[in-house]
Amino acid sequence: MSDPQTLIIDVNETFPQLRRSPLIEAVIHWQAHATKELEPETLKAELTQRLPDYRAIQIQYEHGIHVETPLQPDGSTAASAVEHRTQWIGLRLENEYKNRVVQFTKTGIAISSVGNYESWTTFHQEALNLWSLFYELAEPRIINRLGVRYINKILIEEGEKPSTYLKTVQKSNFNPSLKRDTFFYQETYKVLNHPYSINWVCTQQSEANQQFLIVDIDVFISPLPDLKKSSLIEHLNKIRWLKNTIFFNSITNTALEKFGG
């Protein structure tokens, strides 16, 4: 007899196609420390050659200040020595259409799709190609975290409430004369019998005299010692299923109709 708490992940399940999707950003992110010494200018030249679609490449630096105050033998302190430190942390790449942004750092690689999102097939295949390049150049030994994050922005029209679109929004229990202007709500989950975790965040924000819901779903596995491509594809497809299941089970029928589902 099967355990009723066992979640069956069906990566072949289909979900509604949204003609007016509220998605504003999708991210696939690997946290994996480089074991190979990387030099920024050499790496920039290599990526320029290997990734011709990403013409804008910037080296990113981290700036810091270290202050040391020596203690004298008599217990007094000498003048403080201030040291300014600058070190490179990675490269930021952007394609010519400005709808793909890549962060190539010493601790991992992330690809973001902003604006014109095409499809999971296209997006995750490009992410896998970038990971293969990172793996070749940085030689990580383990993936500390592999995650997929989708951020949605939903306009709340005049007279509507967050519950118009989301089943999971908590109602305000304050005085009816008080109108809730913003809120922040977060839930975290462990997926039973599977190695995945989920962060589900919903906020209500004001912007230019309009109200929006931001629905942020982050599904990840941590750590992942198996770096084989077949394993990555399997986990990414399962993570995508979890992300879609969470999203479509949290929105109302009104939301589904508004998004063109």
Side-chain angles (χ1 to χ4, degrees):
M1 185 175 179
S2 62
D3 184 349
Q5 290 187 323
T6 300
L7 178 66
I8 298 175
I9 296 178
D10 179 9
V11 297
N12 294 314
E13 180 179 355
T14 59
F15 293 89
Q17 297 295 311
L18 304 181
R19 299 188 304 276
R20 297 180 294 276
S21 172
L23 181 68
I24 58 172
E25 184 175 6
V27 183
I28 298 179
H29 181 206
W30 282 266
Q31 287 182 3
H33 290 264
T35 63
K36 186 176 180 180
E37 190 69 27
L38 300 174
E39 198 280 323
E41 292 295 344
T42 302
L43 180 60
K44 181 179 179 181
E46 181 75 19
L47 296 181
T48 299
Q49 180 181 2
R50 302 280 290 272
L51 299 173
D53 291 338
Y54 290 87
R55 298 180 180 179
I57 303 180
Q58 297 177 331
I59 300 175
Q60 296 182 309
Y61 294 92
E62 184 178 64
H63 303 280
I65 298 176
H66 176 71
V67 180
E68 184 174 345
T69 305
L71 184 65
Q72 302 295 330
D74 61 359
S76 63
T77 56
S80 298
V82 179
E83 180 184 0
H84 295 268
R85 296 177 178 176
T86 299
Q87 63 176 353
W88 82 281
I89 56 174
L91 278 72
R92 182 185 186 277
L93 300 85
E94 186 177 56
N95 68 356
E96 61 177 315
Y97 302 108
K98 300 185 182 300
N99 65 339
R100 291 281 195 277
V101 176
V102 174
Q103 298 286 341
F104 193 114
T105 73
K106 292 184 282 187
T107 59
I109 188 166
I111 175 172
S112 299
S113 174
V114 293
N116 184 25
Y117 179 80
E118 298 173 14
S119 68
W120 169 257
T121 301
T122 302
F123 181 51
H124 99 284
Q125 186 56 60
E126 186 171 359
L128 285 168
N129 292 339
L130 288 165
W131 162 256
S132 296
L133 180 58
F134 178 85
Y135 181 74
E136 175 189 341
L137 299 178
E139 298 180 0
R141 295 193 180 98
I142 188 173
I143 296 171
N144 302 103
R145 187 184 192 273
L146 168 61
V148 173
R149 182 180 180 190
Y150 275 51
I151 304 172
N152 302 272
K153 186 176 183 180
I154 304 170
L155 172 65
I156 303 176
E157 304 282 0
E158 185 68 30
E160 294 179 336
K161 300 178 180 179
S163 57
T164 302
Y165 300 108
L166 295 178
K167 302 174 184 176
T168 52
V169 174
Q170 292 181 328
K171 294 182 178 180
S172 173
N173 294 321
F174 294 109
N175 190 298
S177 63
L178 300 178
K179 179 183 177 182
R180 182 168 59 185
D181 192 44
T182 63
F183 70 83
F184 178 91
Y185 181 60
Q186 178 176 9
E187 290 184 340
T188 60
Y189 303 92
K190 294 287 187 182
V191 183
L192 296 180
N193 304 300
H194 294 282
Y196 307 112
S197 299
I198 300 167
N199 290 327
W200 188 94
V201 176
C202 180
T203 64
Q204 181 180 344
Q205 301 177 358
S206 298
E207 181 181 317
N209 295 321
Q210 290 183 312
Q211 295 289 315
F212 293 92
L213 286 174
I214 305 297
V215 180
D216 185 342
I217 302 173
D218 180 22
V219 186
F220 62 93
I221 178 172
S222 175
L224 180 58
D226 187 354
L227 276 64
K228 295 195 297 290
K229 186 175 182 180
S230 59
S231 177
L232 296 179
I233 293 173
E234 178 184 357
H235 285 298
L236 282 171
N237 285 329
K238 289 181 177 180
I239 287 173
R240 175 192 180 243
W241 182 90
L242 286 166
K243 181 270 299 179
N244 280 341
T245 298
I246 289 289
F247 178 76
F248 285 105
N249 278 281
S250 67
I251 64 173
T252 64
N253 289 333
T254 299
L256 188 60
E257 292 176 4
K258 179 172 182 173
F259 305 150

